[in-house]
Amino acid sequence: MQFHPDALIAAACEQTGLDDFGGDGFREGLEILCQSLSSEAQLNPFGQMALPGAIHSALSNRLQIVDWAKRHPDVSDERIEAPIVVAGLFRAGTTFLTYLLEKDPRHRPLLGWEAGASVPPPTPATLHADPRIDAARAASAMVDQINPRIRVVQSEEPDGPTECIAVMNQDFKSLLWEAMANVPAYGEWLAATDHQSAYDYHKRTLQTLQSGGVRGRWSLKSPSHALHLGALTAVYPDARLLIMHRDPVVLCASVCSLITTLTGTFSDADHRRYIADHWTDMLARSVAAIDAFRDANPQCRIVDVRYADLAIDPIATMRRIYAAFDSDLDGPALSAMEAHVASHPKGRFGRHGYDPAEFGLDAEAIAERFRPYVERYDIPLETMRER
C-alpha cells in the first residue's frame, strides 16, 4: 500500500473545511513517515485501514487547533506554569505515576480523548461527560477486540491521562508512529531531527485545551521527553521534571514485548529483530540524553524516581516527590491516591510476561551495557517476572 502525503492533507482539509496548518514544519516528518509506511511497515489489512485514519485524524486536529487559536486570540495569553513532566525510561512506571498525580485535584492531566479531538476545548462541565469520550472509547474497544493482548501490556482509558506523544504526533515528530508501525527510515530521521517545533505545537495545544476553563498545574508524561529535555525546557523553562529509572534488563525485554504487541496489531510480519535492536538502542540514547542534559543544566531541579520504590511503597514515593518540590501530600489528594493504589492491583487485566531471549537479547550483555547507569542511580536489579 502506498501512502501519499498530498492526498492525506487534501482529505483532512476537505473534511474540516480548513487549510491552515500553522506552518509547514510538520511536512517533512509526514513525508518520511509515509515513505516508511509504504516501503517498510508491511501492514496487514487492518493496518492499511488504521494508519491512514490515524494520519488523517492527526492532520485534522492540527487544522482545528490552528483555526481555534486564530479565532480566539486570547488562547496565546494562556500561561502554562511549572508543569509536572514525567519522563525517563520506557516501561519504568511512568503510567502508574501519572495516574497518581492525576488524583490531586490541583493538577490538570492531558486526557486521552482531548489529545486527539481538542476543539472545542472542554469546559469544567464537559471534561468527563463529552460525547467525544464515547467515540474514543469505541475506537479503543475495537482495537482491543482485534488484539486483546494490548489491554494486558498497556492499559489506558480514554478519559484518563495519556502521553504527550498523542499531541506531538500532530507535528509528525513523535514516537507514537513507531509504536504503531515498524518504520526504520522514519525512526532514523526522528532520532536526528530537531523537536523544537513539536514542543511549540504541544504548548499551543495545551493553551487551547486550557482556554476552555479547565485549569490547574499540568501533569504530563512521556518517556520520550528524556530524549529532548533541551527542547522541552526551552518551551517550559519552569517544568518540574520527574525521571523514572528501572532495571534495564527488564526494561529492554518489556519494551520489546510492548512494541511487538502494539505493532503486531497492524502488521503480521515478524519484526522482532528490528524491535530488539532499535528499542534497546533507544533506551541507551535516553540514558545518554538525560546525563548530557544534567551536565549542561546543573541548575535544573530533577527528581529521580526508581520503579522499585514506586512499586513497593507508592504513597511514600509520592510524599518524597511532593517534598522535593516544596509541597505537602495530604487531604483529598492523599485520600484519592490511596484509593487508587488499593483499587488498581498489578495484573488486573492479565499477566504480562517477558523474556529477553524471545527477542534474541542477551540479558548479561544488556546488564553490562547499562552497568554504569545502574550504578549511577543505584537501581535495584529485578528477577524476570510479570510486570
Side-chain angles (χ1 to χ4, degrees):
M1 176 181 179
Q2 296 297 309
F3 286 71
H4 301 287
D6 289 338
L8 290 163
I9 288 172
C13 291
E14 181 179 3
Q15 189 263 326
T16 60
L18 304 169
D19 60 9
D20 185 357
F21 287 95
D24 61 359
F26 73 97
R27 182 68 190 239
E28 182 181 10
L30 172 62
E31 291 177 349
I32 294 173
L33 175 64
C34 286
Q35 293 169 8
S36 197
L37 287 169
S38 300
S39 62
E40 298 174 318
Q42 297 176 277
L43 299 175
N44 59 25
F46 180 64
Q48 293 175 15
M49 175 190 72
L51 266 299
I55 293 173
H56 177 87
S57 295
L59 290 168
S60 296
N61 200 58
R62 184 185 179 105
L63 283 165
Q64 292 176 76
I65 288 220
V66 171
D67 176 69
W68 184 271
K70 285 168 60 178
R71 291 189 292 111
H72 300 82
D74 55 328
V75 165
S76 62
D77 296 328
E78 291 286 338
R79 294 174 58 85
I80 311 297
E81 296 184 351
I84 300 170
V85 182
V86 181
L89 302 192
F90 303 84
R91 311 301 286 169
T94 56
T95 297
F96 183 41
L97 178 57
T98 305
Y99 268 82
L100 290 175
L101 288 169
E102 181 227 3
K103 302 308 170 188
D104 189 329
R106 295 168 293 185
H107 292 162
R108 170 51 162 113
L110 173 66
L111 302 183
W113 71 268
E114 64 177 349
S118 308
V119 173
T123 67
T126 64
L127 183 65
H128 296 291
D130 195 289
R132 287 171 285 183
I133 299 172
D134 291 335
R137 184 169 285 115
S140 178
M142 179 179 68
V143 175
D144 289 345
Q145 185 175 14
I146 292 171
N147 186 355
R149 183 72 176 162
I150 288 180
R151 191 70 168 168
V152 176
V153 302
Q154 182 75 2
S155 174
E156 185 177 285
E157 299 297 334
D159 56 350
T162 195
E163 292 196 17
C164 295
I165 56 173
V167 167
M168 299 170 80
N169 74 321
Q170 295 157 35
D171 195 55
F172 292 90
K173 300 179 183 71
S174 171
L175 285 183
L176 179 64
W177 300 116
E178 291 201 79
M180 296 182 70
N182 294 293
V183 281
Y186 175 77
E188 183 177 357
W189 172 83
L190 187 67
T193 198
D194 185 346
H195 280 61
Q196 197 63 60
S197 69
Y199 283 97
D200 291 337
Y201 177 77
H202 181 274
K203 181 178 179 180
R204 179 185 292 186
T205 301
L206 296 192
Q207 289 175 311
T208 298
L209 293 173
Q210 183 175 285
S211 70
V214 183
R215 292 183 169 83
R217 186 188 303 279
W218 282 93
S219 59
L220 308 166
K221 80 113 170 179
S222 180
S224 65
H225 287 318
L227 293 160
H228 309 290
L229 292 172
L232 185 151
T233 53
V235 173
Y236 305 113
D238 56 353
R240 299 181 169 193
L241 301 177
L242 304 179
I243 306 293
M244 301 293 299
H245 303 280
R246 192 179 184 185
D247 180 349
V249 175
V250 176
L251 287 174
C252 288
S254 183
V255 74
C256 287
S257 177
L258 170 67
I259 298 300
T260 298
T261 299
L262 295 178
T263 62
T265 308
F266 309 105
S267 172
D268 299 327
D270 186 352
H271 293 278
R272 283 179 297 176
R273 183 69 265 160
Y274 166 73
I275 290 171
D277 292 341
H278 179 64
W279 289 88
T280 301
D281 286 346
M282 192 175 297
L283 289 171
R285 289 195 295 109
S286 297
V287 170
I290 292 168
D291 289 345
F293 178 80
R294 292 187 115 117
D295 290 344
N297 300 274
Q299 79 289 349
C300 186
R301 184 187 298 187
I302 298 175
V303 177
D304 294 294
V305 182
R306 303 188 305 181
Y307 172 86
D309 296 333
L310 185 65
I312 292 169
D313 196 335
I315 299 303
T317 301
M318 296 305 294
R319 287 187 186 278
R320 182 176 70 83
I321 290 170
Y322 272 58
F325 291 123
D326 304 317
S327 183
D328 294 324
L329 176 58
D330 52 22
L334 174 60
S335 299
M337 289 184 194
E338 290 175 332
H340 181 81
V341 170
S343 62
H344 288 74
K346 287 167 56 175
R348 66 191 183 280
F349 295 118
R351 293 183 178 273
H352 177 203
Y354 38 71
D355 179 359
E358 179 184 349
F359 305 95
L361 295 170
D362 184 325
E364 292 185 3
I366 293 173
E368 180 60 26
R369 181 179 185 180
F370 288 91
R371 181 177 54 80
Y373 162 70
V374 170
E375 293 175 351
R376 186 180 310 120
Y377 293 101
D378 191 23
I379 299 170
L381 302 183
E382 302 173 45
T383 57
M384 295 304 299
R385 60 175 182 262
E386 295 83 8
R387 183 175 184 272

